[in-house]
Amino acid sequence: MRQGWEIKTLGDLVTIKTGKLDANAMVEGGKYPFFTCSREIYSIDNYAFDCEAILLAGNNASGDFNVKHFKGKFNAYQRTYIITVNNERIVLYKFLLHCLIDHLKVFKEQSVGANTKFLKLGMIQNVLIPLPPLSEQKRIVSILDRAFAAIDKAKANTERNLQNAKALFESYLQGVFEERGEDWEEKRLGEVCEYDKTQNKAKLPYVGLEHIESNTGKFLGSREPQSVKSSTFLFSQKHVLYGRLRPYLNKVLLPEFEGHCSTEIFPIIPGKNLDRRFLFYWFIKSDTVKEIDSTWTGARMPRANMNAVLDFKFYLPSLRQQISIVKNLQILFEQTQLLVLKYQQKLTSLDELKKSILQKAFSGQLTADARIYEKESEALTMAAERKAAYAPETTDKLTEDEWLQLYFMLINISFHNGKAEQKYLAEVKMEKSCHFGEKIIKQLHFNRNPFKAMNGPADFERLYKLHDFAEANCIFIYEKSASYKKYIEGENFMKYMGKAMMAFRPFIKKINELLAKLLPLNTDTIDLYATTYTAWNNLLMQKKEVNVKSIAKEGRWHQKKNRFTDKDFENAIEFLRTNDLVPEGNGKLVLEKSKTINS
């Protein structure tokens, strides 16, 4: 603690009362705020307090207490503490609010009670408050308010992106089954699979409903053998496990081991023409979940009517189609899970940042060098509220070719997310990736106009237009000066990512295979490989001799390209051959810019 600061107990600084009402005293649409122990603020038609106060929740089922600040007329629940400052020339309300937010973790540790955790008055009165001079309190509050407003906005954006990431896979999954092919056979579910209620008698790994993560099918249990007292069903790697209790929880598992499960879980064995992974995805899609949930019986313990489920319509593509569909779904599922993990980690980081700033505030570090923290606070605000330099209405018109390229870029950004190779994805690698994408995957018609240049083959004019459009529409921001991650997702990233996945659904596997080959390449390497590809393709189009020497000669179109030796070009040719990236002499000749314009 800094020199000149005092330590006081909260009880020395404030008066503490409680409300008098039951929690159910709330009135929908009431005139005044009604504070309970919930984070949500309710309403009521009468008030008991007319003052400025800090409201501290006095009980909570898990000890997750919260604190609020309000000035005006309000009422309160009998377990809500109303804290009023005795002398505002000694301590500011907002300063005290931040002190108590910083203390919430301690309250959780101190709280007592078995089923419901609660705070005793003495616990609150004895909180030690570091008390700087009033002028310094104002400075601390000013910095914290700005920083926390930015953090809260960043959290809101991240939470929205998290939900969008989860919705992206569901939207794609739903589309797979809704836009089925004409050759898909209409069946009853019972015609393509059956329940297998073989009783277990061996000591094997056990699966209960608590061991299956909702919506994802992730196994949360242990593979260690476990016995249970009740009867169980036997299962193996051939089954799909479906949780019938509370079907809205969407608990479905593809076991990769032999074991036994609760009788609240039905082992389902697919017929010979049904891939169990395809069945798994059919079960977890939202329409199926809703349809099964509508069959439940039992008010207290709702269970799906599994006999009724067997009568559901089930559209069956060929086994070959099923396998292809499953591969694409698995690729997208893995990508969206990486995004989900990334956003969850970002939320955790923002919470940790908030705690760190609070700790520094009340140890005196925050204002010891105020310039540093005020600068950080301003940077946070800018990050949370950044406005594009372009008005969306002036850049919202893209051609079909440009939309395809933008979608490809979004998938490339997503592909690099969370991986160490993310540091390589700058404008040069993005442009070269687009070049390979357009050349290798026949369905991608970007209609770029790449030309020979220092960082060519490239069409940076097109790339920068897409950068501008993405920033103007909050899709992503390109931070050229960033040392690690240069492509930063905006609040609409997942919305457009969903459109990209739907547009590329028929050939998403090809895109992912290409990006996997390009992922490890740094800027210099992908520059070499794209230069080699272009030189080779030019020679083929011009019907000239193709060998290492001629490719190297054609590829050294700029002084900067002279850094590539003949051996470098030889290695690049081997990479292209090994990875099925050999040019076919198609597309446009890549020329010098002046010649491209005049042609």
Side-chain angles (χ1 to χ4, degrees), residues 233-432:
F233 295 141
L234 185 67
F235 68 81
S236 71
Q237 297 92 327
K238 297 179 181 180
H239 291 87
V240 175
L241 301 184
Y242 180 78
R244 64 176 183 143
L245 179 65
R246 299 186 177 90
Y248 54 83
L249 293 177
N250 196 16
K251 297 203 169 197
V252 191
L253 178 68
L254 285 173
E256 300 297 336
F257 54 92
E258 185 177 323
H260 63 126
C261 63
S262 160
T263 54
E264 297 293 1
I265 298 172
F266 272 30
I268 303 172
I269 192 156
K272 63 180 182 179
N273 294 322
L274 177 60
D275 188 298
R276 72 174 189 140
R277 297 168 301 171
F278 186 81
L279 180 61
F280 167 82
Y281 284 119
W282 178 83
F283 266 116
I284 67 169
K285 69 184 180 75
S286 60
D287 279 2
T288 304
V289 175
K290 291 175 185 175
E291 193 174 2
I292 295 177
D293 192 44
S294 69
T295 72
W296 66 262
T297 58
R300 194 174 65 86
M301 301 283 278
R303 293 180 175 86
N305 182 338
M306 299 305 289
N307 290 326
V309 173
L310 287 176
D311 280 329
F312 284 5
K313 285 182 181 179
F314 187 90
Y315 292 92
L316 186 70
S318 68
L319 202 54
R320 184 176 179 180
Q321 284 178 296
Q322 292 176 48
I323 292 169
S324 176
I325 289 168
V326 164
K327 282 183 178 178
N328 287 340
L329 286 170
Q330 286 177 327
I331 289 168
L332 178 59
F333 180 76
E334 289 169 6
Q335 288 180 338
T336 52
Q337 285 304 108
L338 280 173
L339 284 170
V340 166
L341 178 61
K342 175 198 154 193
Y343 292 133
Q344 288 171 334
Q345 289 172 339
K346 185 174 180 181
L347 288 171
T348 300
S349 297
L350 288 167
D351 285 336
E352 292 302 318
L353 175 60
K354 201 168 188 176
K355 291 175 185 175
S356 172
I357 293 173
L358 278 171
Q359 288 169 1
K360 286 168 181 169
F362 301 118
S363 66
Q365 295 178 58
L366 189 62
T367 49
D369 189 348
R371 290 172 300 172
I372 294 174
Y373 285 98
E374 285 179 3
K375 186 176 180 180
E376 285 190 7
S377 180
E378 288 167 9
L380 276 166
T381 303
M382 288 175 65
E385 299 181 353
R386 177 163 183 167
K387 301 295 183 185
Y390 307 86
E393 60 270 17
T394 65
T395 54
D396 64 352
K397 292 182 179 179
L398 297 183
T399 65
E400 184 177 344
D401 302 331
E402 290 166 341
W403 274 115
L404 284 177
Q405 185 176 348
L406 178 63
Y407 288 160
F408 181 83
M409 290 167 64
L410 298 185
I411 293 174
N412 200 12
I413 293 168
S414 174
F415 203 87
H416 280 75
N417 264 337
K419 299 183 177 74
E421 293 83 0
Q422 182 173 267
K423 63 187 176 184
Y424 301 141
L425 189 62
E427 59 186 36
V428 171
K429 184 172 184 180
M430 180 63 82
E431 176 60 19
K432 299 298 166 62

Side-chain angles (χ1 to χ4, degrees), residues 95-226:
F95 181 82
L96 202 55
L97 173 71
H98 289 305
C99 284
L100 291 176
I101 290 172
D102 186 45
H103 200 77
L104 288 176
K105 184 178 178 181
V106 178
F107 280 146
K108 184 171 185 175
E109 294 168 354
Q110 291 179 332
S111 61
V112 295
N115 296 326
T116 299
K117 299 293 184 181
F118 61 90
L119 298 175
K120 294 182 176 180
L121 180 61
M123 297 174 183
I124 303 167
Q125 290 173 325
N126 292 329
V127 173
L128 297 178
I129 303 295
L131 207 59
L134 206 62
S135 59
E136 193 159 0
Q137 290 182 42
K138 290 177 180 178
R139 291 171 64 204
I140 291 170
V141 166
S142 175
I143 295 171
L144 290 180
D145 282 351
R146 291 203 307 274
F148 289 175
I151 289 172
D152 289 344
K153 186 160 187 177
K155 281 186 69 175
N157 289 340
T158 303
E159 285 165 351
R160 181 166 53 250
N161 279 332
L162 175 61
Q163 295 308 313
N164 287 341
K166 293 177 180 178
L168 168 61
F169 178 74
E170 173 56 37
S171 173
Y172 184 87
L173 175 63
Q174 201 66 31
V176 166
F177 287 93
E178 287 178 354
E179 299 170 23
R180 56 184 176 272
E182 293 180 2
D183 57 340
W184 290 29
E185 292 184 69
E186 182 179 324
K187 301 278 188 180
R188 287 174 46 257
L189 182 64
E191 293 180 80
V192 295
C193 65
E194 62 182 8
Y195 304 146
D196 182 2
K197 299 183 182 180
T198 304
Q199 296 288 313
N200 175 61
K201 296 180 181 178
K203 190 173 183 181
L204 296 166
Y206 172 73
V207 176
L209 284 170
E210 67 276 15
H211 300 137
I212 305 174
E213 186 172 74
S214 293
N215 303 314
T216 67
K218 182 179 178 181
F219 179 56
L220 305 174
S222 167
R223 293 198 183 190
E224 291 296 317
Q226 181 182 347

